[in-house]
Amino acid sequence: MKIAIIGAGNMGLSFSKSFLKYELIKPENLHLITRSQSKILKIKEEFPKSEISVFEEVKNLDADLIIIAVKPQDFQKVAESFQFSLNENQMILSIMAGIKIEKIQKSLNHRSVVRAMPNSPTLLGMGITGYTSAEGISFNQLMNIERLLNSTGRSVYLENEDLLDGVTALSGSGPAYFYYIVDAMIKAGTQMGIDENLSKLFVKQTMLGAYHLINNSDKSLEDLIKDVASKGGTTEAALKTFEENNFKEILQQGILNAEKRAKELNG
């Protein structure tokens, strides 16, 4: 398989590294395309055996799969700047937030489109990606896409494309929500007089331990909370403050607003 990635940013490069790490493609069958001439040398250092180009240089695209990894706000301009034509045997995989399959098909005049939403832990091979496809994509083609996506973590196929905006808000944007909460906890630690590095250690290890408890326990989240929050204790005091200030509702509303923004990106 030959793969071209249009938009050699963090996500495009992390996909490339995963494909090569698991030997899903040969380095010489990878073509990375960037808008920035200044990034060429750095990308060539990381991918010395692969083809690296800027958009303007690409007159013909020899690839079985073309991954579009540009910012959704830039997609229309990028599509209009293509100087190559797609043939019917080529497949498009979009990892842009919000841009629907129908818009991609119209903009590129191409029917074979799969749309996916990964998240940043793909950088470590620990991501999760929701994906869906246009009509007419065969089972074998989808299995090939899933094999590639699974090299970056896990993947889930969705029959309903509309759910992908929710996936974008939940898991695509999700890592930032955890970073936000972790940052608040670390700063609370420093306000209590704990050294910042020590505060980071306590919070990060607590987050890691909590994750493993969620993942390995048969208990509900409500029961896990009860296990920590004894009546009249310290945890109850914190949770009461969260409830009084509608923290859960605020967090949920933020995620719903992220979904709304994903829908807006389609224009």
Side-chain angles (χ1 to χ4, degrees):
M1 177 183 282
K2 293 183 179 180
I3 296 178
I5 299 184
I6 299 175
N10 288 336
M11 196 61 73
L13 294 181
S14 69
F15 266 53
S16 302
K17 290 172 184 175
S18 293
F19 299 162
L20 295 175
K21 177 182 177 181
Y22 292 101
E23 299 181 346
L24 298 177
I25 59 168
K26 295 178 180 179
E28 55 269 28
N29 287 338
L30 175 66
H31 186 181
L32 295 167
I33 304 166
T34 178
R35 295 179 67 183
S36 176
Q37 183 72 49
S38 63
K39 292 182 179 179
I40 291 284
L41 286 178
K42 185 179 179 184
I43 297 172
K44 281 184 176 179
E45 287 177 3
E46 290 190 82
F47 301 90
K49 295 182 180 180
S50 301
E51 185 177 358
I52 318 296
S53 308
V54 291
F55 285 178
E56 295 77 15
E57 297 173 341
V58 184
K59 311 295 183 184
N60 180 48
L61 199 53
D62 180 21
D64 303 299
L65 177 67
I66 299 157
I67 299 177
I68 302 180
V70 300
K71 294 178 181 177
Q73 299 93 326
D74 297 336
F75 170 63
Q76 202 58 47
K77 186 176 180 180
V78 168
E80 290 169 0
S81 71
F82 283 178
Q83 299 184 50
F84 54 85
S85 298
L86 299 170
N87 66 60
E88 61 180 16
N89 295 321
Q90 292 174 312
M91 185 177 295
I92 299 290
L93 171 62
S94 165
I95 58 172
M96 299 180 291
I99 308 298
K100 291 191 177 296
I101 287 173
E102 185 179 7
K103 183 171 183 176
I104 297 167
Q105 289 175 322
K106 287 182 178 178
S107 298
L108 300 180
N109 192 28
H110 194 71
R111 302 301 303 171
S112 298
V113 176
V114 175
R115 180 183 164 201
M117 189 64 240
N119 62 4
S120 58
T122 59
L123 293 164
L124 300 174
M126 296 181 69
I128 184 162
T129 301
Y131 73 105
T132 191
S133 66
E135 291 183 8
I137 305 292
S138 72
F139 178 77
N140 285 339
Q141 287 174 315
L142 279 181
M143 287 302 96
N144 284 333
I145 294 290
E146 185 170 294
R147 190 163 55 96
L148 292 169
L149 294 177
N150 284 346
S151 73
T152 69
R154 298 179 65 178
S155 64
V156 179
Y157 182 78
L158 301 168
E159 293 282 354
N160 183 356
E161 184 186 1
D162 289 340
L163 293 177
L164 212 51
D165 291 327
V167 170
T168 301
L170 197 61
S171 62
S173 299
Y177 313 151
F178 289 101
Y179 305 150
Y180 191 88
I181 292 169
V182 166
D183 184 54
M185 292 175 69
I186 291 169
K187 286 174 178 171
T190 61
Q191 286 177 35
M192 293 182 290
I194 302 172
D195 175 79
E196 184 177 358
N197 287 330
L198 194 55
S199 185
K200 285 180 181 178
L201 175 62
F202 276 115
V203 174
K204 288 192 289 185
Q205 187 62 33
T206 299
M207 178 178 65
L208 181 63
Y211 158 74
H212 283 292
L213 278 173
I214 291 173
N215 220 30
N216 293 289
S217 176
D218 292 330
K219 293 182 178 181
S220 67
L221 289 172
E222 188 177 59
D223 285 338
L224 287 172
I225 291 170
K226 287 178 180 177
D227 285 347
V228 185
S230 56
K231 192 165 181 63
T234 58
T235 308
E236 187 181 68
L239 294 175
K240 185 178 179 183
T241 303
F242 298 157
E243 292 294 331
E244 288 173 348
N245 289 275
N246 300 315
F247 177 64
K248 188 179 287 187
E249 288 79 6
I250 290 169
L251 187 59
Q252 289 170 349
Q253 188 57 54
I255 295 168
L256 293 173
N257 284 341
E259 181 201 29
K260 180 183 176 184
R261 178 59 184 149
K263 293 182 184 300
E264 291 171 351
L265 287 170
N266 192 57

